[in-house]
Amino acid sequence: MPANIFIINPAAGHGRAGKVWESLREAALRLLPGSACLVTEKPGHASALALEAVLAGTSRIIAVGGDGTFSEVLEGAMAAPEHLRRSVALGAIPAGSGCDLARHLGYPRGRDGLLELLARGKARPLDVGRIDYTGLDGAPRRRHFINIAAFGLAGDVAHRIKASGKPLGGTVSYFLSSLLSLLTARAKKVRLKADGRELSGRYHLGVLANTSSMGGGMLIAPGTKDDDGLMDLVLAADMSRLSLMRNFPSLYKGTHLGSPGITLTALRRLEADSDETVYLNIDGEADGRLPALFETLPRAINVIAPPNA
């Protein structure tokens, strides 16, 4: 197995990832000669390819696509034995509809700077979230996340997008879907226990953030640290739809924290349950519902990052 693997999801970003890879392929392989290029064929395939690569001893896996593609690669890496997982570094060529991890890490926007980083950059550890949750079929599920896991409005938005797609790209599609969800928003009673502390109440939204950004550029947890063994729980309590609409633009500036009804709590473990149907959003994807158990796995994976990220 080559030391460097590119896993390309040609369907990401409505086919944009395939085109981006073709434009970068020659330069990427020149900087990382002898690399293997593996193309996904169906959902979940990136996880299987990543696991196979880690088990074979590769040292660098680069996902070409959006956050969903990276999340699949992460899932494959996390399925490997710990000593092998910790010997690999994950990176991304952001080419999907949502690229919040690259935004959080401060990846260069220009082609040359990005490829130089992926070829020469050093690895650093990041926390990983693990969630045990309920599938839509009622069966228990487990998966990992690198950016966010959310419930309430964010879950509704993800399920709306899953049904409609992202014809206008990630940022615009998330923005419009969020506006539509806000128009019909209704807070739900959720039982929450954060590191044993009772936080139950009526909430529109709960976001457990490992990184700062979600939804194609919403700064849900500005300043959050991704390697301190903690995640930031951002809660939007019961409020009028008008108040929700007024707060919505501030998400893109990161100025929503401290507004009435919006709180942030650092934690390691969160138990969440409800008697109502409350959908989940895991790294931007619609996946399951409450009840769920969220846990932080400190510094569980290595990523290729700029020196000051």
Side-chain angles (χ1 to χ4, degrees):
M1 177 68 70
N4 306 296
I5 302 290
F6 290 92
I7 296 180
I8 302 102
N9 177 6
H14 292 277
R16 178 171 174 263
K19 296 176 183 177
V20 168
W21 173 244
E22 286 306 313
S23 72
L24 298 178
R25 178 187 179 101
E26 183 177 343
L29 296 183
R30 184 169 59 250
L31 282 171
L32 291 165
S35 299
C37 306
L38 308 177
V39 179
T40 64
E41 299 173 355
K42 56 186 178 181
H45 194 196
S47 293
L49 294 175
L51 174 57
E52 181 181 354
V54 175
L55 293 177
T58 194
S59 59
R60 193 168 298 217
I61 302 176
I62 299 169
V64 184
D67 289 319
T69 305
F70 188 93
S71 187
E72 284 196 18
V73 169
L74 170 71
E75 197 64 39
M78 293 300 296
E82 183 176 0
H83 71 285
L84 292 176
R85 182 211 331 143
R86 291 190 179 279
S87 67
V88 68
L90 307 183
I93 292 179
S97 53
C99 300
D100 287 295
L101 179 63
R103 183 178 290 106
H104 168 80
L105 292 175
Y107 271 24
R109 291 180 177 270
R111 185 192 78 167
D112 293 343
L114 174 62
L115 293 180
E116 183 66 25
L117 168 67
L118 294 174
R120 316 288 183 222
K122 301 297 184 181
R124 77 165 178 88
L126 251 67
D127 298 338
V128 171
R130 182 174 66 200
I131 173 171
D132 292 287
Y133 62 105
T134 308
L136 295 180
D137 58 359
R141 304 278 178 84
R142 167 178 282 188
R143 62 175 285 188
H144 299 84
F145 62 95
I146 196 75
N147 288 318
I148 63 98
F151 54 87
L153 271 174
D156 297 340
V157 170
H159 280 264
R160 187 186 294 273
I161 287 177
K162 186 176 183 179
S164 64
K166 304 173 187 175
L168 301 176
T171 299
V172 176
S173 294
Y174 273 108
F175 178 83
L176 294 177
S177 182
S178 297
L179 283 179
L180 290 173
S181 295
L182 288 173
L183 292 174
T184 58
R186 182 177 64 85
K188 295 182 179 181
K189 189 173 182 180
V190 183
R191 293 183 292 275
L192 296 176
K193 190 171 289 187
D195 292 337
R197 176 187 173 193
E198 194 70 30
L199 293 178
S200 299
R202 295 186 63 83
Y203 296 104
H204 282 290
L205 172 69
V207 180
L208 199 61
N210 184 44
T211 63
S212 57
S213 178
M214 65 177 284
M218 297 180 184
L219 287 175
I220 189 65
T224 191
K225 295 181 180 179
D226 54 32
D227 61 356
D228 62 352
L230 299 170
M231 294 197 183
D232 287 341
L233 173 64
V234 178
L235 291 170
D238 193 3
M239 64 183 71
S240 69
R241 291 171 187 164
L242 180 59
S243 295
L244 282 173
M245 295 289 284
R246 286 174 174 168
N247 279 308
F248 180 58
S250 65
L251 282 172
Y252 290 90
K253 301 176 183 178
T255 57
H256 56 291
L257 298 177
S259 297
I262 299 178
T263 60
L264 184 148
T265 303
L267 52 80
R268 291 180 172 84
R269 173 188 169 99
L270 177 71
E271 300 169 65
D273 194 5
S274 178
D275 294 329
E276 303 180 68
T277 299
V278 181
Y279 291 122
L280 293 170
N281 175 330
I282 306 175
D283 271 347
E285 304 293 326
D287 192 354
R289 58 178 173 81
L290 298 184
L293 169 64
F294 309 82
E295 295 179 282
T296 309
L297 305 179
R299 302 166 73 91
I301 200 73
N302 293 314
V303 298
I304 306 167
N308 298 322

